[in-house]
Amino acid sequence: GGYKLEGDQEDIFSDLNELFGGDDGWKALKSPYEGVGMKIKRSKRNAKGERTVGLGLGEATVDCTAEQAAAWLFFYNSNDRKITSKDLARLEIRKGPMRNNERTFVTVKKMPFLVSNRQFLFRQILKWDSDRSTSVATWPVNDVEVDYGGASVGKLTKATVKGLFTATNLKNGLDGVPQCKVIMKQLFDLGGYIPTKLLDKKMATSLKAVWGLQQSFKRDADVDKASLDVLTNIIKTKKQDYSDDEAKAMAKGKNFYKMCFSCEDSKFKELKNTDKRVMMKSVHLDGDSLVTGVCEAIIDAPVEKCVAYEFMKGTRERMALKKTKKYRKIEIKKISDHSQFYLSRRQFGYGLYDREWRNLVVWQKDDDGKVWIIYEDTDRLDKDFPQISGVTQASAMTTWCFEELKSKMGDITQCKATFTSKVD
């Protein structure tokens, strides 16, 4: 399907594939945009006084089809994109016969004080690669003079941009939420020498288009719900195999739970709670100076869905907590459908060091229908995330137990959730 490329358009795609081919030389570029990975490949011709040239790469998963993603990028001058743009000018150039799959644009990027603003004049070409993949090529135009109609664009230096954008539909997308993987590669020739730090900054700004695309189509609630449904079904229907370490951690967590409820009632202290539906109390286990907390509540949902909700630390809703003052850092490393490593760093208030927990998290379903989740301290994250000064390592032993209630509230399935935790 799609349009047949003409000869000059085929040549452009061929040249871009050669320009951006190969994985050598790419280095990580700090991305200021959540969910967008970035890399950069700097030219060796960065001696002062010579032209500054760099290649940039941005990639992300977007909640739309590949065709929708490519169309969004192709319509560079849409009202939606102009509203959010900080360009001094952004215009579509119309000259002579137009091709249905090609447009020409000019944009003026503001540069810092004492550096002339940069003008980028380019054409964009849309190409359907296959049923799964769609591409957009960006190629410089040199034979057009631009009249900005009195717009204040300042002193201009002509710069060059070349780019190759590819969107590929994901085969294993979530039910009801089409998703695609997008990769944007760009060459920046800023028409003269600029410092490396400024190149990195401008490259990241240019690759912001990937983030803008992601934001335009994001369906956080739908994605979280679909992911929750997938894990719920796994907990309900798929038998799990556990490693020795996971089995030992689960046994330790269950034993901790049993110790809490083997204590005499007189040893428990009721805790004040604003929610009458939740029971909260504390207890000192025999010979332990640390207090253990216990909570119980009835949840209007099946056991498997409650377990999935608690276990899924990487939902978009939860990852958004990183933007709040409550959480400084959240990292998740999946081991299997039933286990993961989880790092969380939290702010504890003025004058206090942040606290950081590093846990192995495992869920297990018993033959009687009960499902357990345990959190146990681990050092298996230390290599990927070395400990840093100014952060205190905290310790915790936490066990959840979920059991379905036989009685129902009408058509609503309910379960009892019990939480026990000891934190140092």
Side-chain angles (χ1 to χ4, degrees), residues 246-257:
E246 291 169 350
K248 289 177 182 177
M250 181 57 65
K252 182 179 177 181
K254 289 182 177 180
N255 184 60
F256 168 67
Y257 178 91

Side-chain angles (χ1 to χ4, degrees), residues 18-84:
E18 183 177 350
L19 171 66
F20 294 114
D23 297 326
D24 296 338
W26 290 102
K27 295 185 178 180
L29 176 65
K30 185 176 180 181
S31 174
Y33 309 108
E34 183 73 30
V36 178
M38 292 186 180
K39 298 178 183 178
I40 193 168
K41 186 187 294 187
R42 302 179 186 88
S43 168
K44 294 181 180 179
R45 300 178 297 159
N46 268 3
K48 191 167 184 178
E50 297 182 356
R51 299 173 72 86
T52 300
V53 180
L55 303 181
L57 182 153
E59 56 186 341
T61 298
V62 183
D63 302 331
C64 66
T65 65
E67 295 78 11
Q68 288 174 318
W72 183 91
L73 189 82
F74 181 69
F75 291 108
Y76 182 80
N77 206 39
S78 67
N79 290 331
D80 178 55
R81 295 186 66 182
K82 284 196 293 187
I83 289 173
T84 58

Side-chain angles (χ1 to χ4, degrees), residues 154-193:
K155 183 181 178 181
L156 296 179
T157 295
K158 291 184 178 180
T160 300
V161 62
K162 297 178 181 179
L164 183 60
F165 173 91
T166 304
T168 305
N169 288 317
L170 296 178
K171 283 185 177 180
N172 300 321
L174 298 168
D175 289 342
V177 185
Q179 291 186 305
C180 65
K181 175 70 175 292
V182 302
I183 299 177
M184 175 183 281
K185 298 178 180 178
Q186 287 192 341
L187 174 143
F188 252 30
D189 181 345
L190 292 170
Y193 170 80

